[in-house]
Amino acid sequence: MADSNRVIDLRTRSTYTPDCATLARNRLALARQSLGLTTAEFADILTPMVGWPVTADAVEAWESSLVPPGDVVVAASAVTPTSSGRAGVRSHKFIAAYIGAEAATKLGAGAEPVSGWLKRTTIAAEHPSGACELHLLPFGVAIYHLVEDLEVATIASLAVWRYRSYRENLAWATTNLRQLTGDANITASYVLSAYWLHTPIWAGRMLDTAVRIISSPRVLVDRGQECSDTVLATAEQAERELLAEGFAPREMQAFGVDGVATGYSSWSGVAYHPLDPARSLSEDELVECELSIQSMWAYCEYLNHQVEQGHAPVASPGYGWRFLRAARSRLANPRPQETGQHCAMRDAILHTSGLLGHLDQAIEALREDSQ
């Protein structure tokens, strides 16, 4: 171990001058080598990031003799975070199932305490990987809310973890609900994720792109390769390309505010990063919004599945088409004291989820059946 009494602070040495040019060249070379890219491939990644054409010859010169421009060094560092650079993300998974109104009531739905306009009842649940609660709705929906704190070096690793853990989450929720209700036919139907990015490793335009990718990680993972050994490497390559080139699918909706927060919603999920926590949405607001929307989504899925099977839809008592019409109004229309940010979030999540179409179909089917 070094003797701390013999350590010399270089700032006290007036004759010490760091070789910044060599440091910059080495940083560029190490960045390219860590990515396993040729000079031409690295130039292709740098070009859209710096906004002017970068050539393979230029990269080679910067690594050997010339001093690389500052924007090139920053761009190279951005696409290759150091081994200690890990993003802090809190994953919120909403695991939904329809268990029936009778089963939900037996488990506590409708009893005090209740939460929100949907009269949601919450009971504690134990999960091996994070904090978990079971939310019960009186019309027969059960939603597990699983919170997992993660540190990831790449978005690709988050995407791979997400899809591999989904199968485990669905199996776990199905087993638990069957044990609680005694009904062997209950099956958890889907998992929806929302990510709260509290510690990013990106900045500027790249941070915005990163939040977009996190909200739609399917773009990194080929469904047919989810279980292969090469899936992570393939996903990391796709991530590097998208971070460099940008990622802005038309179906994705933004709900951030410049200088306050970055937020995006897609069919796959939601991602949010508070730039200014004092002015941004709170994590609880995001969770509450998702719980309301996913509760109705799961109920409409159950009703519309009956229609698709050629049956007359059977709604839970007291939760027929009039209830769905009221729910649609509450979800689609802004509240008098709702903030602009909250309204934008609700609109973005509501429209990318496809819930409005689900609601309209369920309302129409139940009205036709009641006539």
Side-chain angles (χ1 to χ4, degrees):
M1 179 179 293
D3 184 351
S4 60
N5 293 324
R6 299 179 60 187
V7 176
I8 299 173
D9 187 347
L10 292 177
R11 291 171 298 181
T12 66
R13 299 276 303 273
S14 59
T15 58
Y16 173 74
T17 303
D19 187 349
C20 294
T22 299
L23 290 174
R25 284 193 288 268
N26 289 342
R27 178 173 295 184
L28 194 69
L30 287 172
R32 180 180 63 79
Q33 292 165 11
S34 69
L35 294 172
L37 301 177
T38 65
T39 54
E41 292 169 337
F42 197 39
D44 289 340
I45 285 181
L46 294 174
T47 293
M49 297 181 67
V50 298
W52 45 273
V54 176
T55 65
D57 289 340
V59 172
E60 186 174 349
W62 290 331
E63 292 183 5
S64 58
S65 58
L66 300 181
V67 180
D71 54 352
V72 170
V73 176
V74 171
S77 299
V79 295
T80 54
T82 64
S83 58
S84 60
R86 301 177 73 85
V89 183
R90 195 148 36 247
S91 164
H92 293 270
K93 289 176 180 171
F94 303 90
I95 313 168
Y98 182 82
I99 63 175
E102 184 177 349
T105 300
K106 286 182 179 179
L107 293 180
E112 295 293 338
V114 298
S115 176
W117 60 274
L118 284 177
K119 295 182 172 59
R120 188 179 74 244
T121 302
T122 304
I123 61 177
E126 292 187 3
H127 192 279
S129 66
C132 190
E133 294 178 329
L134 175 59
H135 300 273
L136 299 164
L137 287 302
F139 44 83
V141 167
I143 296 182
Y144 283 104
H145 174 212
L146 174 60
V147 184
E148 296 163 292
D149 284 299
L150 309 169
E151 287 189 347
V152 296
T154 62
I155 305 173
S157 61
L158 176 65
V160 173
W161 167 83
R162 167 183 173 164
Y163 285 105
R164 288 181 174 172
S165 66
Y166 271 17
R167 289 185 290 271
E168 299 171 1
N169 297 150
L170 287 171
W172 174 85
T174 296
T175 298
N176 275 264
L177 288 172
R178 289 178 179 180
Q179 291 174 345
L180 288 171
T181 62
D183 186 347
N185 294 317
I186 289 176
T187 301
S189 58
Y190 68 90
V191 183
L192 188 284
S193 286
Y195 297 104
W196 188 268
L197 176 63
H198 54 82
T199 308
I201 53 176
W202 311 272
R205 182 192 64 80
M206 190 168 290
L207 172 58
D208 185 80
T209 301
V211 176
R212 290 173 185 262
I213 299 172
I214 291 172
S215 74
S216 186
R218 169 56 65 188
V219 71
L220 301 180
V221 182
D222 183 348
R223 188 182 299 275
Q225 295 182 332
E226 285 179 16
C227 298
S228 71
D229 294 335
T230 61
V231 62
L232 180 58
T234 302
E236 288 177 340
Q237 176 61 32
E239 175 186 345
R240 288 191 291 268
E241 294 174 356
L242 290 176
L243 285 174
E245 299 170 3
F247 176 63
R250 287 179 297 176
E251 65 275 12
M252 185 174 289
Q253 291 203 12
F255 59 93
V257 176
D258 289 344
V260 176
T262 301
Y264 289 98
S265 180
S266 74
W267 169 256
S268 298
V270 176
Y272 190 80
H273 171 57
L275 297 166
D276 183 351
R279 294 186 295 156
S280 67
L281 294 166
S282 71
E283 201 165 352
D284 286 343
E285 287 179 291
L286 175 60
V287 170
E288 285 297 319
C289 182
E290 279 289 12
L291 281 170
S292 296
I293 289 176
Q294 297 311 316
S295 296
M296 294 309 306
W297 210 102
Y299 186 40
C300 289
E301 180 193 31
Y302 158 73
L303 293 170
N304 290 329
H305 179 70
Q306 294 180 71
V307 174
E308 292 167 5
Q309 297 300 309
H311 306 305
V314 179
S316 300
Y319 295 93
W321 68 267
R322 288 184 174 84
F323 165 74
L324 293 181
R325 184 177 62 182
R328 191 189 195 288
S329 177
R330 280 187 172 271
L331 290 171
N333 298 318
R335 301 293 95 188
Q337 297 186 13
E338 186 177 26
T339 67
Q341 288 187 74
H342 194 281
C343 183
M345 172 188 64
R346 180 178 44 74
D347 276 351
I349 297 175
L350 183 62
H351 284 87
T352 55
S353 72
L355 176 57
L356 292 178
H358 255 330
L359 276 166
D360 290 342
Q361 182 179 343
I363 291 170
E364 181 182 357
L366 289 174
R367 290 191 69 173
E368 287 180 353
D369 190 61
S370 65
Q371 293 176 354

